[in-house]
């Protein structure tokens, strides 16, 4: 099952030639000064297109497999294994809907910044501005959260080791991987991600072998924990619904992937051939890593295990809990080491996403021009340095309340991620309506997502619902906590403030309209000619240049 149907015959694909698109229509593409966006910067960055299909697929996998599928998944498991499975499954459909939105916009305009650029182009520059900064905050928060998780893992071996050592080493390693050449990042993520795939598959195989009695205790535990203490925590439907909701909230924080593909679209070789395949595989990543992970996690530990409540310990992982219960030596340490490598890999993906978002903001005039500086390989090194500098906020974990700091980062990230999903859904809905208003049918798109526009509406409505009710428990008597409330909803306040400020500035200084970009004024022309020319060149290069054995193998696999 795939998330999109694609066409790679781009030059002959369009019903109208590029010169006819939007002829006689006044289009709106703005930067800070209400002037046309620099198409050459966004569409003609050939020097930066150093990522191949195998890089893109493994980058998406790398961002998907982090600490969440091994450690933090123990949190929603306390509501019961079936509650965890249902919550993750429901939210997986939302992420699949997001993928169906992005595949259409990304293959038509595969540019640096992805969905941030689409919000500017198809909704309003003020939304693109606030969304870009919102997502940048999201990724920096994720970086800090992952570094904090690393400290929790290290405490499994060395509880007295200061977190400063781990954070410093991690930041230095990120600097090396990120700041020189995008191919260094791509190759690093490729090999680390292969290791992560084997690790999560190994966790699943471990579960199956041990549950049928292949363990030192010869304990054939099977689905024991689904029977005792049971599939749900709680005695009534209200409690069960609450625990499903808790699992869904965790999934909203933990499930990522399509957004990363969107952001690297501007650095992919032959994007119109590669991107549809990458988005197509989203459904398999979701089913394998998240739905599968939720199912197997529920087999390894009962929801009332005391270790699942130990948020400050690496032993919160259901897999490590089971390994220790079965008296399996060495394997807990091996898994912990693998999770550490996994954490670094996913943190690297987050640093990449944050730096490219900041770079797009700079290109569109939404950030200081200094962030648009690139090295000889076309890599935005200033953005990388700024991202890693903000990653130093991870040193907040030096306090005695590491678990509290981690929960703050998780809450902040969840809200910013929901805003991102809402904006992607809204951008796509307007994108399709604009096409219809200008007489452009679905055949105009190089790749089409399934169930549109229903996928976009489904993803957007669920994201709004999850955002509004993410902090419902604050409003029950005796539970309100100011820091928790701020970190849960602060992203919403920041987003609204930035959007209104930018809109007011545009109206007062540049005479912009208060309304969004009108459907008949949307720009479906800028950059299209450049993209078609690049696609022809890339297809010719793909057909004539010899491929390495690794690339041929990766093409068959992915």
């Amino acid at each position: 099952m795939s998330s999109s149907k694609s066409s790679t015959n781009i030059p002959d694909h369009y019903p109208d030639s590029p010169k006819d698109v939007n002829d006689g229509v006044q289009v709106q593409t703005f930067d800070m000064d209400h002037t046309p966006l620099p198409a050459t910067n966004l569409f003609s960055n050939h020097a930066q297109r150093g990522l191949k299909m195998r890089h893109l697929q493994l980058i998406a996998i790398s961002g998907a497999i982090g600490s969440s599928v091994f450690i933090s998944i123990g949190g929603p498991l306390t509501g019961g294994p079936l509650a965890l499975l249902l919550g993750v499954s429901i939210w997986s459909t939302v992420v699949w809907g997001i993928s169906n939105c992005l595949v259409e916009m990304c293959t038509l305009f595969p540019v640096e910044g992805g969905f941030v650029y689409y919000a500017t182009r198809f909704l309003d520059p003020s939304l693109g501005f606030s969304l870009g900064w919102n997502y940048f905050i999201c990724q920096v928060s994720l970086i800090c959260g992952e570094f904090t998780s690393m400290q929790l893992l290290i405490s499994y071996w060395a509880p007295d080791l200061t977190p400063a050592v781990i954070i410093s080493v991690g930041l230095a390693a990120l600097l090396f991987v990120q700041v020189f050449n995008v191919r260094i990042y791509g190759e690093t993520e490729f090999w680390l991600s292969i290791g992560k795939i084997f690790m999560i598959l190994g966790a699943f195989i471990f579960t199956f072998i041990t549950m049928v009695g292949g363990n030192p205790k010869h304990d054939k535990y099977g689905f024991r924990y689904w029977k005792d203490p049971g599939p749900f925590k709680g005695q009534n439907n209200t409690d069960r619904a609450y625990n499903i909701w808790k699992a869904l909230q965790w999934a909203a924080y933990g499930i990522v992937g399509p957004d990363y593909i969107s952001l690297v679209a501007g650095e992919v070789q032959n994007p119109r051939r590669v991107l549809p395949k990458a988005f197509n595989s989203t459904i398999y990543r979701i089913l394998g890593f998240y739905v599968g992970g939720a199912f197997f996690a529920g087999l390894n530990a009962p929801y009332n295990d005391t270790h699942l409540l130990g948020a400050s310990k690496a032993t919160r992982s259901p897999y490590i809990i089971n390994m220790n219960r079965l008296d399996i030596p060495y394997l807990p340490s091996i898994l912990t080491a693998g999770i550490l490598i996994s954490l670094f890999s996913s943190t690297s993906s987050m640093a990449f996403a944050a730096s490219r978002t900041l770079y797009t903001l700079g290109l569109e005039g939404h950030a200081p021009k200094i962030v648009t500086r690139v090295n000889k390989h076309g890599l935005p090194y200033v953005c990388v340095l700024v991202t890693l500098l903000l990653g130093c906020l991870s040193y907040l974990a030096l306090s005695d309340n590491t678990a509290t700091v981690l929960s703050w980062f998780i809450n902040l990230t969840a809200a910013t991620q929901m805003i991102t999903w809402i904006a992607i859904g809204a951008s796509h809905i307007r994108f399709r309506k604009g096409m219809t208003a200008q007489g452009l049918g679905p055949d105009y798109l190089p790749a089409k997502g399934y169930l549109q526009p229903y996928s976009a509406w489904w993803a957007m409505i669920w994201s709004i619902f999850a955002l509004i009710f993410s902090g419902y428990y604050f409003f029950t008597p005796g539970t309100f906590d100011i820091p928790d409330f701020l970190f849960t909803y602060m992203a919403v306040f920041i987003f609204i403030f930035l959007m209104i400020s930018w809109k007011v500035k545009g109206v007062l200084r540049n005479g912009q309209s208060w309304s969004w970009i009108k459907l008949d004024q949307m720009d479906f022309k800028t950059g299209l000619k450049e993209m078609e020319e690049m696609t022809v060149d890339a297809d010719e290069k793909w057909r004539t240049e010899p491929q390495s054995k690794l690339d041929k193998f990766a093409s068959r696999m992915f």
Side-chain angles (χ1 to χ4, degrees):
M1 183 177 183
S2 63
S3 64
S4 66
K5 297 163 280 187
S6 63
S7 169
T8 54
N9 238 350
I10 304 305
D12 300 325
H13 176 80
Y14 294 102
D16 303 300
S17 62
K19 63 183 177 59
D20 295 327
V21 179
N22 288 344
D23 277 359
V25 177
Q26 180 184 0
V27 299
Q28 296 184 1
T29 52
F30 308 122
D31 67 1
M32 178 183 285
D33 300 318
H34 206 59
T35 54
L37 288 171
T40 53
N41 286 343
L42 288 167
F43 293 91
S44 302
N45 56 339
H46 300 283
Q48 295 187 36
R49 294 191 180 272
L51 297 178
K52 300 180 181 180
M53 181 63 186
R54 62 185 177 89
H55 296 141
L56 183 61
Q57 288 283 17
L58 273 298
I59 285 171
I61 291 172
S62 177
I65 306 177
S67 63
S68 58
V69 294
F70 292 105
I71 301 178
S72 65
I73 199 171
L77 180 55
T78 57
L82 184 55
L84 172 62
L85 185 60
L86 289 175
V88 171
S89 298
I90 292 171
W91 194 257
S92 293
T93 64
V94 176
V95 179
W96 184 66
I98 292 295
S99 181
N100 282 322
C101 295
L102 288 174
V103 68
E104 297 190 347
M105 296 186 288
C106 280
T107 50
L108 184 62
F109 297 117
V111 299
E112 197 81 59
F115 60 84
V116 176
Y117 174 76
Y118 307 139
T120 298
R121 186 159 180 162
F122 302 118
L123 288 175
D124 190 84
S126 64
L127 281 169
F129 168 73
S130 54
L131 177 63
W133 283 108
N134 168 84
Y135 193 75
F136 179 71
I137 293 171
C138 173
Q139 295 305 304
V140 170
S141 299
L142 277 169
I143 292 170
C144 297
E146 294 292 76
F147 275 133
T148 306
S149 296
M150 287 184 189
Q151 186 267 327
L152 299 179
L153 281 172
I154 290 297
S155 67
Y156 182 79
W157 295 306
D160 297 327
L161 181 65
T162 174
V165 175
I166 305 303
I167 295 171
S168 300
V169 171
L171 288 171
L174 283 182
L175 179 65
F176 173 78
V177 170
Q178 296 278 338
V179 83
F180 297 110
N181 189 323
V182 69
R183 291 190 179 184
I184 296 177
Y185 165 72
E187 288 294 333
T188 302
E189 287 305 296
F190 177 78
W191 294 107
L192 287 179
S193 296
I194 288 177
K196 292 165 74 171
I197 292 174
F198 280 112
M199 185 173 67
I200 197 166
L201 291 178
F204 295 168
I205 293 171
F206 157 82
T207 303
F208 176 76
I209 292 175
T210 56
M211 70 185 292
V212 297
N215 58 75
K217 290 186 175 182
H218 304 291
D219 180 11
K220 298 179 181 180
Y221 58 90
F223 285 81
R224 175 187 302 161
Y225 304 129
W226 282 65
K227 299 176 182 178
D228 182 20
F232 286 106
K233 179 183 179 180
Q235 302 299 320
N236 53 59
N237 291 333
T238 301
D239 291 338
R240 293 169 182 172
Y242 165 76
N243 288 315
I244 293 173
W245 175 249
K246 186 171 68 172
L248 189 147
Q249 285 186 302
W250 172 86
Y253 158 76
I255 301 181
V256 296
D259 46 336
Y260 287 167
I261 299 175
S262 167
L263 287 172
V264 302
E267 301 191 49
V268 174
Q269 297 176 5
N270 203 349
R272 284 186 172 161
R273 180 178 294 276
V274 168
L275 287 173
K277 293 182 180 180
F279 282 109
N280 285 347
S281 63
T282 296
I283 187 65
Y284 303 116
R285 285 191 294 272
I286 291 173
L287 290 174
F289 301 143
Y290 292 108
V291 178
F295 173 72
F296 282 102
L299 297 175
N300 277 274
Y303 67 71
N304 58 0
D305 191 292
T306 55
H307 291 96
L308 288 177
L309 305 175
S312 62
K313 298 179 180 179
T315 50
R316 189 182 191 186
S317 168
Y319 301 102
I320 294 179
I321 289 173
N322 203 20
M323 291 172 186
N324 289 329
R325 183 186 69 83
L326 295 172
D327 295 330
I328 298 176
Y330 308 118
L331 203 53
S333 293
I334 293 174
L335 180 60
T336 302
I339 296 174
L340 273 174
I341 296 174
S342 172
L343 280 174
F344 172 76
S345 177
S346 57
T347 303
S348 182
S349 294
M350 295 160 190
F352 186 94
S355 61
R356 273 33 176 202
T357 302
L358 184 58
Y359 180 60
T360 301
L361 289 169
L363 289 178
E364 294 185 340
H366 295 164
K369 288 186 177 181
I370 190 173
V371 301
T372 61
R373 292 184 180 180
V374 297
N375 62 16
K376 64 181 180 179
H377 301 292
L379 188 143
Y381 67 94
V382 175
C383 295
V384 173
L385 294 175
V386 171
T387 299
L388 297 184
L389 183 63
L390 291 174
C392 292
L393 291 172
S394 306
Y395 287 108
L396 289 172
L398 294 174
S399 70
D400 293 332
N401 298 316
T402 301
T404 301
V405 172
L406 179 58
S407 68
W408 285 350
F409 283 130
I410 289 174
N411 289 340
L412 180 61
T413 300
T416 53
Q417 191 69 65
M418 291 309 96
I419 292 172
T420 298
W421 294 154
I422 293 168
I424 291 174
S427 297
H428 183 270
I429 291 169
R430 293 282 294 176
F431 168 79
R432 276 296 194 107
K433 286 186 176 181
M435 287 180 58
T436 301
Q438 298 184 30
L440 303 174
D443 289 339
Y444 183 74
L445 299 171
K448 295 181 282 293
Y450 283 111
L451 302 177
Q452 291 295 12
Y454 308 109
S455 287
W457 281 106
W458 174 264
M460 186 175 70
I461 291 172
W462 264 107
S463 299
I464 293 172
F465 185 74
L467 177 62
I468 292 174
F469 293 101
S470 59
Y472 68 94
Y473 49 88
F474 292 135
F475 304 104
T476 56
T479 61
F480 186 80
D481 181 79
I482 293 178
D484 284 348
F485 175 81
L486 289 176
F487 274 91
T488 299
Y489 289 108
M490 183 169 57
V492 179
F493 304 139
I494 293 174
F495 181 84
I496 294 174
F497 172 78
L498 291 174
M499 181 179 65
I500 293 176
S501 299
W502 189 264
K503 192 66 177 178
V504 170
K505 179 181 177 182
V507 171
L508 296 180
R509 179 179 294 183
N510 302 316
Q512 294 182 21
S513 170
W514 281 105
S515 63
W516 287 5
I517 297 174
K518 296 180 180 179
L519 298 177
D520 61 353
Q521 294 180 352
M522 286 185 183
D523 182 9
F524 291 97
K525 178 178 180 180
T526 301
L528 195 61
K529 180 179 179 181
E530 291 89 341
M531 285 309 310
E532 291 186 353
E533 291 174 350
M534 187 187 71
T535 299
V536 172
D537 293 341
D539 274 345
E540 180 64 25
K541 189 175 181 180
W542 180 81
R543 284 191 295 266
T544 57
E545 284 193 355
Q547 289 184 303
S548 67
K549 292 182 179 180
L550 181 59
D551 287 330
K552 290 180 180 179
F553 175 76
S555 296
R556 296 191 189 98
M557 286 292 295
F558 304 115

